[in-house]
Amino acid sequence: MVQKAERVAANRSNRGKPVGNVTRGTTNPNRMRRLDRWLAGPQAWRLRASANPLVIDLGYGASPATAVELFERLGAVRADVRVCGIEIEPERVRAAKALERPGLSFLTGGFELPVQGQPVLVRAFNVLRQYEEADVHGIWQLVQERLAPGGLFIDGTCDEIGRRVTWIALDAERPVSLSMSVRFGSFDLPSDIAERLPKALIHRNVPGERIHGLLQAMDRAWLESAPFASFGNRQRWTAMCRALLDGGWPVHDGPARWRLGELTVGWEAVAPD
């Protein structure tokens, strides 16, 4: 199901109504664990430094399970974190209300983010992929306008149980990075993750586009790192990441993240032409 771009643009100017469209709402417990681990890891400083530790789970779906998990995981970083799950479908919000507690709430809304204050983190997973590619930039801007200083908007996609996960991180001004996180044993080649790329990139995996070049480089480095397989896939993936870094790719973080099956690169490496 792909939503029409013009409907989102029209809704934006219709004050008082949520911006966006109802999505399928499919979700599963623990589906976002790989992203949550990144938010509670290398990005935890943003939450610690925030004067207003407000986090939004935008479009959490038919079940609020992943919003509850986000609240619990980020609570280990900052005890006074406030997580608000936002859904455009009122019935989903009514069903989630029973789970509210201090620091965790649910509201009806869309990309306009109907909350008081500026969130430091906004997570929208498996939401934008149901819209037109032409609408993505406008949606990004709408959310970016609401971010707190130092805040991030996460636009991501994953498979049904969170084995293959990708996300784009954006600050208030621009896209910052692309991250990919995989469960070892869930792929033959790293490029298998292409089917789970965010909407801004999923149609760009063709020769001549930067994301295609990165995925091909990952495959080559993975195959060349085959001798490390005898020590396990963690060591092989780490060798692949190091080869990419040595080859001039703007790889972020380091071995501690690579061993988790994670790779983050600067947006300039994959930005569509």
Side-chain angles (χ1 to χ4, degrees):
M1 178 177 65
V2 176
Q3 305 287 1
K4 294 295 185 180
E6 60 270 24
R7 289 182 61 192
V8 175
N11 284 349
R12 179 171 182 172
S13 62
N14 190 355
R15 302 302 180 186
K17 289 190 177 182
V19 178
N21 299 292
V22 177
T23 62
R24 288 189 295 268
T26 54
T27 189
N28 283 298
N30 223 23
R31 191 180 185 189
M32 313 301 178
R33 64 191 180 279
R34 292 183 176 274
L35 168 65
D36 292 352
R37 184 169 60 188
W38 186 75
L39 294 176
Q43 302 305 314
W45 67 271
R46 299 179 188 273
L47 196 59
R48 294 191 182 105
S50 176
N52 177 27
L54 173 62
V55 178
I56 302 296
D57 189 12
L58 180 58
Y60 57 83
S63 165
T66 55
V68 175
E69 290 168 350
L70 180 64
F71 173 65
E72 293 173 345
R73 288 162 180 163
L74 295 186
V77 175
R78 185 160 172 174
D80 62 341
V81 68
R82 294 184 295 118
V83 173
C84 180
I86 295 179
E87 249 297 336
I88 202 167
E89 170 52 59
E91 186 55 41
R92 295 174 185 172
V93 177
R94 282 193 289 271
K97 284 289 186 178
L99 295 175
E100 287 189 334
R101 66 195 75 167
L104 177 64
S105 60
F106 297 91
L107 290 175
T108 302
F111 296 114
E112 79 286 355
L113 306 185
V115 294
Q116 295 293 323
Q118 297 173 293
V120 67
L121 296 172
V122 178
R123 180 181 76 178
F125 242 68
N126 303 301
V127 176
L128 274 73
R129 72 174 286 138
Q130 299 181 48
Y131 289 80
E132 300 278 3
E133 182 182 355
D135 209 25
V136 169
H137 184 68
I139 292 173
W140 281 358
Q141 285 189 316
L142 186 57
V143 177
Q144 287 173 283
E145 291 169 0
R146 294 297 317 280
L147 290 175
L152 279 185
F153 172 35
I154 310 299
D155 169 15
T157 305
C158 64
D159 66 4
E160 288 73 16
I161 57 175
R163 297 168 301 179
R164 301 179 184 180
V165 187
T166 70
W167 62 88
I168 298 168
L170 306 96
D171 63 19
E173 297 179 354
R174 62 185 180 87
V176 175
S177 61
L178 170 72
S179 297
M180 293 173 274
S181 183
V182 294
R183 178 181 178 181
F184 296 123
S186 70
F187 64 93
D188 294 319
L189 289 172
S191 62
D192 291 348
I193 203 170
E195 66 182 16
R196 297 297 172 177
L197 288 170
K199 191 67 175 189
L201 295 174
I202 194 167
H203 302 302
R204 302 288 181 160
N205 185 28
V206 294
E209 291 279 358
R210 294 183 182 91
I211 183 60
H212 182 267
L214 173 61
L215 292 173
Q216 293 300 302
M218 291 172 65
D219 283 354
R220 287 193 299 271
W222 176 256
L223 292 172
E224 291 169 359
S225 300
F228 289 89
S230 59
F231 301 103
N233 282 327
R234 293 182 187 275
Q235 285 70 26
R236 186 177 181 181
W237 184 270
T238 298
M240 177 199 76
C241 294
R242 189 171 299 281
L244 292 171
L245 180 62
D246 292 343
W249 291 94
V251 176
H252 294 190
D253 303 323
R257 306 305 303 179
W258 302 342
R259 286 193 292 269
L260 299 174
E262 188 178 290
L263 172 66
T264 297
V265 298
W267 180 249
E268 67 273 15
V270 297
D273 290 330

